[in-house]
Amino acid sequence: MLAPNPPVADTPIVPTPAAAVSAQANNGFQTPAAGPVAAKAGVTAPGVTTPMAWILLLILATIWGTSFILMKKGLVVFSAMELGATRVSVAALLLLPFALRHVSTVERSRFKWLGLSGVVGTLIPAFLFAYAETKLASGLAGVLNALTVVFTLVVGALLFGQRLTALRVLGIALGLAGTVVMLLLGGSGGTDTPTGEGNAWYGIYILIATIGYGISVNVIKHKLGGMTPMAVTAVLLLLIGGPALAYLLAGTEFLHKLSTVPGAWTAFGYIALLATMSTAVAMVLFNRLIQQSTALFASSSTYLIPVVALAWGALDGEAFNLWHLLGMVIILAGVLIIHRAR
């Protein structure tokens, strides 16, 4: 679900981790990762969770949870538009060899769905998350990313005929209620943001991004079944990477800043690390985790990612109050109910 990601996020870039793990746990989705990235649908896992599975889970949660502070560091120099375009461009270039290998095997009728998934589940969220973090604490962005689980279910019910049970409706309601508590009562998390300003309403941009993740997850499940995770991620990045790179080089001050602004290369390094870890590395690890455990176990990362994001935010001086804690607990309770409900 780029997202923070996530996983592609976010979605292959992340972070759209919440999208990947929740879909796998509940519906056997083959997903990218906001946030996170896809795991092969239908992979059977051993019944016993191995120590290696726990290690992989912690590494994945750390990678995805760190995405939000990396965005914040990148925004010190680059604008939200520049950061978003850079993330997508770096990820697309990173997976270009795999895209060229797989693109000829993709059925022509599937390109429109790959394009749709790439735009709503990777390209647009990359900009929305970056814009949100200009005035919203990175730790809170990490918590709100968990709403991907909620909107994956909502989109599935509204557009793809997925069954809604009473418990799942309760989970959706709790997720939205927790968001209200966190943003309206808790606030933006202080003014320790790249712009020096705080505005809790910027959390709405993350809500919109997670709706995009939810659409992407459902499109991949219902329209792109049978494609491998690498093929989905690499080809959709190929489709959106060109426009993102063209915009970055011709429509922004990215190159000028890179050559003239002090600290620009360091900020670019943060963004490149974000794109790299949230795509190729996270994809490999997530697929390995699914093979060594279960999708439900892998979904546990959804609860660890906000903790990691908040820890990084606290170390960077962000404010976190009791309303934020209450909102996070309510959101994650809703996610837990959705995961467990049948």
Side-chain angles (χ1 to χ4, degrees):
M1 284 246 199
L2 278 174
N5 198 162
V8 179
D10 92 1
T11 345
I13 303 176
V14 83
T16 90
V21 296
S22 68
Q24 284 285 344
N26 284 293
N27 307 297
F29 285 10
Q30 178 180 334
T31 70
V37 284
K40 272 190 180 180
V43 173
T44 56
V48 177
T49 301
T50 65
M52 180 54 67
W54 282 102
I55 294 173
L56 289 173
L57 178 70
L58 293 176
I59 293 174
L60 276 169
T62 300
I63 290 174
W64 283 326
T66 302
S67 299
F68 306 95
I69 192 69
L70 292 176
M71 278 189 273
K72 179 180 178 181
K73 297 301 183 183
L75 287 167
V76 171
V77 172
F78 298 105
S79 70
M81 298 299 288
E82 289 164 346
L83 187 149
T86 303
R87 287 184 62 187
V88 174
S89 299
V90 170
L93 291 172
L94 181 69
L95 294 184
L96 181 59
F98 301 96
L100 296 178
R101 179 189 306 172
H102 290 288
V103 69
S104 61
T105 67
V106 179
E107 298 174 17
R108 188 180 299 271
S109 62
R110 291 190 165 190
F111 279 102
K112 62 178 180 292
W113 299 114
L114 285 164
L116 175 62
S117 179
V119 170
V120 303
T122 297
L123 185 63
I124 293 176
F127 296 110
L128 290 175
F129 264 92
Y131 194 58
E133 285 201 32
T134 60
K135 295 187 180 181
L136 187 73
S138 65
L140 299 187
V143 175
L144 292 175
N145 184 67
L147 290 172
T148 300
V149 179
V150 173
F151 288 115
T152 296
L153 181 57
V154 171
V155 172
L158 292 177
L159 301 181
F160 295 95
Q162 184 173 335
R163 185 172 61 92
L164 277 183
T165 63
L167 278 179
R168 286 179 170 178
V169 172
L170 174 61
I172 292 170
L174 286 174
L176 297 177
T179 303
V180 172
V181 170
M182 175 173 287
L183 296 181
L184 295 189
L185 299 179
S188 65
T191 58
D192 188 21
T193 62
T195 61
E197 302 175 9
N199 189 334
W201 288 105
Y202 273 55
I204 293 175
Y205 293 110
I206 295 181
L207 264 67
I208 298 172
T210 56
I211 293 173
Y213 288 156
I215 295 172
S216 178
V217 169
N218 280 282
V219 166
I220 290 175
K221 170 182 169 54
H222 294 282
K223 302 298 183 180
L224 299 173
M227 291 183 65
T228 66
M230 179 60 78
V232 171
T233 305
V235 176
L236 73 80
L237 279 172
L238 177 67
L239 296 176
I240 64 174
L245 182 60
Y247 168 73
L248 179 66
L249 298 180
T252 73
E253 297 184 352
F254 172 76
L255 292 178
H256 175 72
K257 289 181 179 179
L258 206 57
S259 60
T260 62
V261 177
W265 279 100
T266 300
F268 173 71
Y270 287 126
I271 302 171
L273 180 62
L274 167 64
T276 301
M277 297 302 289
S278 296
T279 51
V281 173
M283 176 188 294
V284 172
L285 294 179
F286 188 75
N287 286 329
R288 183 74 178 273
L289 178 59
I290 290 292
Q291 292 169 355
Q292 294 206 5
S293 59
T294 64
L296 185 59
F297 177 80
S299 72
S300 302
S301 62
T302 304
Y303 312 103
L304 299 177
I305 291 165
V307 176
V308 175
L310 287 170
W312 279 116
L315 290 174
D316 203 49
E318 296 176 2
F320 184 71
N321 56 45
L322 290 178
W323 287 116
H324 292 145
L325 177 61
L326 178 60
M328 181 182 72
V329 169
I330 295 173
I331 290 173
L332 294 183
V335 171
L336 176 61
I337 290 173
I338 291 174
H339 277 165
R340 300 286 181 173
R342 291 292 182 267

